[in-house]
Amino acid sequence: MPQATHDLVVIGGGPGGYVAAIRAAQLGLDVACIDANQQFGGTCLRVGCIPSKALLESSELFAAANGHFAEHGIEFKKVKLDLTKMLARKDKIVEQLTGGIQQLLKKNKITGYVGRGKIIAPGTVEVTPLDGGVAIEIAAETILIATGSQPARMQGVEYDGDLIGDSTTALSYQEVPKKLIVIGGGYIGLEMGSVWNRLGSEVTVLEAMDRILPGLDGEIAKQAQRIFEKQGFKFQVDSWVESAKVEDGQCVVRCKDREPLTADRVLLAAGRAPYTAELGLQNVGIETDKRGFIQVDKHFATSAKGIYAVGDVIGGAMLAHKASEEGVACVEQIVNGSGHINYDTIPAVVYTHPEIASVGKTEEQLKEAGVEYNKGVCPFGAIGRALALGDTNGRVKILADAATDRVLGVHCIGLRAGDLIAEAAVAMQFGASSEDIARCCHAHPTLSEAVHEAALAVNKRSIHT
């Protein structure tokens, strides 16, 4: 068996893996990065964040052309959907970005291996090409696992990867389904549901909990549901799916204590599961918890000496940027003994329309912890830029400690919330108070004025609301 030697072997070429590999190379290590796909970039770039956002943008423009452009005095006789071209645009963006990852690896002198990586002994990884070629054995002092996650399966749901599929399937429907049932009211289900709702599907979202967007601030989630319902979404909360199967060419979904539902397609978006299959963890004594996550310490070290793990595979927020930050912190700790990530300031974004973004604690979390806080809110209806853009749905909410005024959480639903939340994340990283944000001059007219006004409102000093 051919052999190679490197200082660090990273198993997984997604946002956690390739970023960690690049940072390690910058720090002087001889690095190898293994991925099971020809296109490096992981789920995020290939079948997740990037292609879904491409379709969200295209479908939003289609919806705007069908109605909202008329509000601006721009009228069309007829708007036609070319789904083939829309999907091709999505694929081109994926190809461009994954190709960029290959160039980054080359630029940083990182050796890329395409194949299935498996730990066969301490300090040894075997790479098996998917085309049946000759396996390669790699020796390395340090191994970093960054294999990410995959769509979770659900008991009773007869997944076929076609009529009953997951988020990857929903990126490539060759025609717009008349009826689409989405199992799961989280960000993945709502984003992909938005794409097909805008293109003409009748979308019904089934959520087992009593609200959509579990984990997000409750007030923001309630407003989001009202807005989505106006867009044509149908929601059934408290709906526990017992089965989903194809019967006579139709998808039939049965929920506990509810009438069966039928649809052309079903999108299973009930969360994600860590990808640890065939990694050879048992060969080095690494155990996973009952949900399959690898356990690590504060330095991202597993129970096996010299083996680390980051990203979705260790749990926590399953976000690409969280995985990247962990990858950087991990290799910095390995090389020079320092590296840090502040989990309290990792932002999250739902790329629906309007966007939803948050960082820090929700009101529910603060109440549960018994923390006294003050709240400042600014609706987008008070912002001139939002009026000019023709969309005043949403608000910015800032939660600050009642005693110290330190910002504990910021939650936003509205136009470009995903961009606005960056200011809040930076402010919180530096331990800012709401007064600090309020004292910063914000350009007029911009959407960021909503953040400024909400900061003023924390201490009942709002000017425009």
Side-chain angles (χ1 to χ4, degrees), residues 43 48 53-54 101 143 166 192 198 233 258 284 329:
T43 294
K53 303 316 169 277
I101 301 301
I143 298 169
D166 54 27
M192 294 311 304
R198 294 167 188 167
F233 275 88
R258 291 184 182 270
V284 286

Side-chain angles (χ1 to χ4, degrees), residues 93-106:
I93 292 170
V94 170
E95 183 179 347
Q96 180 178 342
L97 286 173
T98 54
I101 301 301
Q102 299 282 12
Q103 292 303 312
L104 286 172
L105 296 180
K106 183 178 180 180

Side-chain angles (χ1 to χ4, degrees), residues 39-54:
Q39 293 178 312
F40 279 57
T43 294
C44 177
L45 268 66
R46 293 186 301 101
V47 291
C49 314
I50 299 304
S52 64
K53 303 316 169 277

